[in-house]
Structures are given as C-alpha cells and as structure tokens.
C-alpha cells in the first residue's frame, strides 16, 4: 500500500474523477495505474502532474516514442523501480522493441560512466562547446 | 587543468595516438576534446571508453540522434556540466534543433519529478506492469 | 536480513545497550528499529550516528517537525525506501498530516524538476544571488 | 550564457511577457532571474513551470518558508549550484536566518549519510513502518 | 523476472556462451548470476560489459579487493540493491571482513554527508587543491 | 565566497579554534581549508563533522589510503567538484599515485554503468547473494 492508500474511482471526488476520465480517454485504457491513485489525495497536484505529463509527452518536435524512451532512460538512471516498470510498459505500447530497450540501457550505462570520468578528472569545458 | 593534465597528441604514445586518430576519423574533425585528453593517462581505459562510446552511439535499433538525445538527457539529470556542454554540441551536429533540446529538458524535468512522487508515496508496481 | 544480521538487545555489548537505551528513552518507545540493529556491528559508528541524529534533529533554530519533513524530503529525493518508511512514521508522530506529506512530496518533485532545467540549460548564477 | 541564450523582456512574445509580468507581480520584484529567461524559449514549458512553482510554493498546509527550506535542501542534496544560490536568496527573503540555513544543511548531510547506511546494510522495513 | 527475461546457457547463442564460459572460468564458479543472464539479450553489450568488468577489476595499481570495496561503496551510494548484494558477495570472496564492510559503509555515509555540506555552503576550491 | 562567508582563525570563538587547532595538529599542516571555515558558523556541526571525519578516516580494519580512495570515489560519483579537489589532494599525501587515481575513476565509471544496467533490466537478487 502506498503511504496514503489509494483513491479508487468509486470513492473519488468529481475533481479527481475528471482527471481519471481524461487519463483513460487519452490512453485508451480502463486501467488507472497505481501512481495516479496514490497521488490523488492531493487533487491539485494530481491534476497538475497529469496535465504536465499529458502535454510534455505528446507529439511535438519529438515524437511520443522518443520521449518515452528518454523517460525510461531517466527512470533507469535514477533506479526508480516503479517508474521503470510503468514506463517500459508505456514505451512498448508506443513501439519500443526489445532491441531498442537494450540500446537505451546501453546509452544510459555509458553516459553514467562517462559523466563520472569527466567530473572525477575535473575536465573543463572546451571553448568550442561553450554556448555562444 | 584536469586532475592529471592533458595528454596532447604530440606527446602521446602510439597506443593513445591510434585512439585519437580513430576519434578524429570517426567524427570527421581535427579536434580532440578535453575529455579524451584528460583520461588518456590510462591508455587501456581511454581505448575501452572510446570503443564503447563509438559502438554504443552508432546506428542500431535506434538512430544516432535519438541516442545522443538520451545521452544529453542523462547528463542533464546528473547535473554534469562538461557532459551537457559536449553532448549538446554533438547532438546539434546530428540534427538536434532548439525545440528538440527544450523538449528533452522538459521530459527530463518531468521524469525526475514523477520518479520522486512514485518513490515518496511508496507506490508498488501494478501487476500489469510486471515483466512476465 | 540485513548484510550483517541484527544485533538484538539481549546479545548486545554494554556499549551498544547504552545507545539502545538512549534511543528508547529519547523517543519514548520500546522499539529499536531495524536501522540501529543493522549498523550496531560497528559500535563506534552506531554511537556516532545516533549522537548526530539526536543532536541534529532536536529543537534548534528549526523545530523538530520541520527537520523531520526535510529528512523525509531528502529520503524521497534519494529514492530510499527504508528511510521514507521510517521517517514518515517519525514525522507523523511529530504532527505531520496527510496534507503536509502531500505538499512535501510536491515540493520535492518540483525542485527535482527545476534543478534539471537549470543545469540542462546551463543557467549561470545571477549576480544578485551570489553570496557577498 | 545558457544553452539557448536569454529571452529578454523587450524581445519576448506576449505569451512570455505575461508570465514575466506574473513573476514580477507575485514576487514583488522587477528582476526576472536567469532561470526563467533561459527556459523561455519553450513558452509552454515556461508557463507550466512557473504555474507549478507558484502554486506549489504558496501557503498551504505548509507555510512558504518551510517549503522554501525544503527546496533549498533538495537543491543542496542534488549539488545544483544555480538552485542553491537562487533559492537561498528566496528563503532569506521569506525569513531564513543564518542559523536556520546551517541547520537545514546539517539535516541534509545527516539524511544523505543515513540513507546510504540503510541501503548499504540492506535494512528491510520494520513491520511497524509499513503503510497500512 | 527481469525486463527481457533470462538467457539461460542452454538457450544461448555461441557468442553468449563464450562470455558465460569466460565468466565461469575467470571466477572459478559454475554460477552465472542474474545480471549477465538479464543483459545477454544484447550480446554485444554483454561482451563489452563483461570485458570491461574483467579488465577493470583485475590486479593493477590497485589490488582486486580494494577495487571491489570501491564498487560496493558506489553501489551503496547509488542505493542499488542488486549491486550491493552481488558485490558484497564478491568482496567477501576476495577477503572483505565484516569490520571492513562496516568501515566502507561509514566512509560512504561520511562522504555523502560532507559532499552536501560543501555544495550547500557553496564552498569554492582552495588554491592549494587546484590541479597544476 | 561561501553562503555564510568564512570564519577565519583570528575571528573564531574558542570552541571553533579548538577544532581548527585539532585539524592542524592531526593533519600536520597550518592550512585550514575552505570547507571547515565555511561550516564553522555552526560550531556544533563543525565539531561533530570534524570528529566524525577524524575517527572514520583513521586507521581501522582499512588503512587510511584505502578509505581516502573510497572518499574520492564517492565524491566523483556525486560530481562534487570541491570534494574531488580536496580529497584527491589528501589522497596524494597518503600515497595515491596517478595510476591509482585513474583506476579508481575506472571502477567508479564501471559501477555507475552497471548499477543502471541492473536496475533498468529489473534484475532480481540471486538467492546465492541474499544475506543469510
């Protein structure tokens, strides 16, 4: 059980139900996953978090799959078990193959390694890389 | 200056020069950036790190630009100044626009926020999201 | 079981028992939680860690509840399951309500998001914000 | 200079200016700090980020100073230089004294230490601490 | 089950078997642990990761036990449950005692605490500590 | 300048001077580095931090150089510029060579990479690795 328990649809306020409805419509599913039901005790934060997620993960200069791969990458980098599980599921729905997943993990591992080599060796930024 | 100073091409051993040559050829540039010159004091690690970077960042199930965007995302998530600067430069070369960069940052911010909501609320993984 | 097992009161050395006794007296409880029993294999570190925890978390310029909320915030930010569970329990004892917990999580999420936007966009510090 | 440069008020679109105006009104200042000017290249993200910041940091179950202290704590925990500088400035405005700042840092240090002791020793959660 | 399931020896390609054989020979064991079986879906990454691990963790300027202690320290600092469990097992094989483990944890906790004090207080680097 | 400025010896209280004196005596130096002068505004925290540092970093089951290498490793993993600079200086005094430093960095990079592969692939702990 999460910290504050779950807010199930049947016990939810109209404000929370409106968010749940939008999640189900947007994602074409009738499953409200645990994340939303756990944070729904604070309806304003639920609404804001869902709104931000919906807008940011939508088609833009980047397509939804690329964004989902980046989300998975960050979740793996942060060792967030819940987030890895839920967002690899989303990414699969949007077309992530096993090979793509494995390559995302390889890039995450590489960047995490090289980030530490750069910091540990106290490498200063090349003039050529400074924003103008 | 980095911790151990720079290994410049003119003072480098044949083993280090071979890596530098491969970097310049692969990247079609004559600039060896500070990262490589800082870690070259350990030629085996230089070679291994370059080889891994070259292989992982190449075309595969994901294209090089997508991989570079993930690399930038991880570097921003880790607050690695050098890595953000050097890999946004690489990403631009591979086609990253300002709008794409801004969207990568928005996804990084969102995932970092939501990762903490999931962990802090102690949300357990939905059955539907568990690997079979 | 933790790495080195638990040091239970009945098997503890006088030095460890003295710390356990002080924990129970200070916290008005007869429960020594797993954290202390797991680190008690190194009595010097147990004593130092308890002493620091007791002193730092006490009333000072900040009250104990505010300090506990900050502790919960850091634990959520670090995705430390044990620490979130144990310190939300402590915070509740000191007066944290569900609404307060939800707001702490919202601030943690916000700060983690904005920290990455600042770093990723390579924002330099405003002159007005530099310590004099 | 940040990655994409600054969006100054005089060159900003009406949408961006509306956010800048709201920041200045809300904070009773005529200084738009670098963070906002750096992320304003993506007006939708600027607006969303400001809206979230404004709402989350406002008076609620927790007062604005307590929230700001938590924000400072997370920023220090993440080693985010910009965020530490800008949010210690905000916190001072809201009443943070030197003694309060020093105590926040002490709690941040303590929690970061103890989080690792808990994880490293593989301490499992006490039954008493599990959410019901 | 890991994300992509396990690649068991009996179902593995010759390329994967060659890595598994080398792991078992090098480590003088007939146990291929879950980590390798989980990442083996990407044989190139399996091979590269094993090769790097084998080379880096071998005797060099530092002995294998010291390297393993550093690996355990990083895993605890990152709160990586799997990595703590598997590498404390490796470290024990190489001679880590309970007292040594406890001291590694104490240093990890101390460094994590002091790192935040340094960052939060915005301490600049002493001239004497700058690399020449 | 750090957040609260420096507490110089000549302006320090007897309590702070006693710590400074012990630092100089223990380390056989007349240089009080910036870290201590920045945190000295909170004399109780200064004393506790120095005492912990002195005790934990002393000869024990591990020798002081090994402990310092672990401290450097954590500081690089956390991307803490100040801490990397100050503790590589300490490590050199205790005998760290360039080759040893480069190997520490290689282990730090490796562990950071593999930690993410383990988490991202959702690898569960082998029975053989669970503490008995």
């Amino acid at each position: 059980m999460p910290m504050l328990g779950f807010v199930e649809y049947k016990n939810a306020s109209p404000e929370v139900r409106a968010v749940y409805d939008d999640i189900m419509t947007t994602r074409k599913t009738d499953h409200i996953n645990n994340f939303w039901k756990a944070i729904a005790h604070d309806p304003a934060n639920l609404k804001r978090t869902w709104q931000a997620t919906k807008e940011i993960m939508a088609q833009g200069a980047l397509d939804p799959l690329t964004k989902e791969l980046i989300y998975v990458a960050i979740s793996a980098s942060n060792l967030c078990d819940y987030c890895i599980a839920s967002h690899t599921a989303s990414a699969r729905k949007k077309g992530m193959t096993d090979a793509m997943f494995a390559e995302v993990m390889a890039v995450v591992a590489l960047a995490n390694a090289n980030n530490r080599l750069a910091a540990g060796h106290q490498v200063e930024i090349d003039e050529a890389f400074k924003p103008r």
Side-chain angles (χ1 to χ4, degrees), chain A:
Chain A
M1 281 288 276
M3 180 64 191
L4 306 179
F6 288 124
V7 179
E8 299 292 349
Y9 191 92
K10 62 176 185 292
N11 311 117
S13 67
E15 192 181 0
V16 167
R17 280 191 186 183
V19 175
Y20 285 5
D21 287 338
D22 194 34
I23 292 173
M24 291 188 288
T25 304
T26 305
R27 296 191 164 171
K28 303 183 190 6
T29 174
D30 58 358
H31 177 64
I32 298 291
N33 55 291
N34 290 346
F35 178 75
W36 306 108
K37 295 192 293 184
I39 69 169
H41 296 271
D42 179 348
N45 197 39
L46 170 71
K47 192 176 172 184
R48 199 168 37 227
T49 302
W50 164 245
Q51 203 60 36
T53 302
K54 184 182 172 183
E55 289 172 23
I56 293 170
M57 300 305 284
Q59 173 70 41
L62 299 174
D63 62 278
L65 175 56
T66 299
K67 288 177 170 184
E68 201 69 48
L69 296 179
I70 293 172
Y71 200 116
V72 166
I74 298 297
S75 301
S77 188
N78 286 339
L79 292 87
C80 181
D81 292 337
Y82 183 82
C83 319
I84 295 164
S86 62
H87 284 273
T88 48
S90 303
R92 281 199 183 289
K93 272 195 179 177
K94 294 179 184 168
M96 181 181 76
T97 62
D98 284 7
M100 291 164 78
F101 173 74
E103 290 191 10
V104 171
M105 289 305 106
V107 176
V108 169
L110 178 74
N112 270 290
N114 291 2
N115 281 195
R116 271 70 188 197
L117 289 178
H121 279 276
Q122 305 183 54
V123 186
E124 67 245 48
I125 300 178
D126 303 63
E127 282 307 314
F129 294 156
K130 293 193 177 148
R132 294 115 301 139

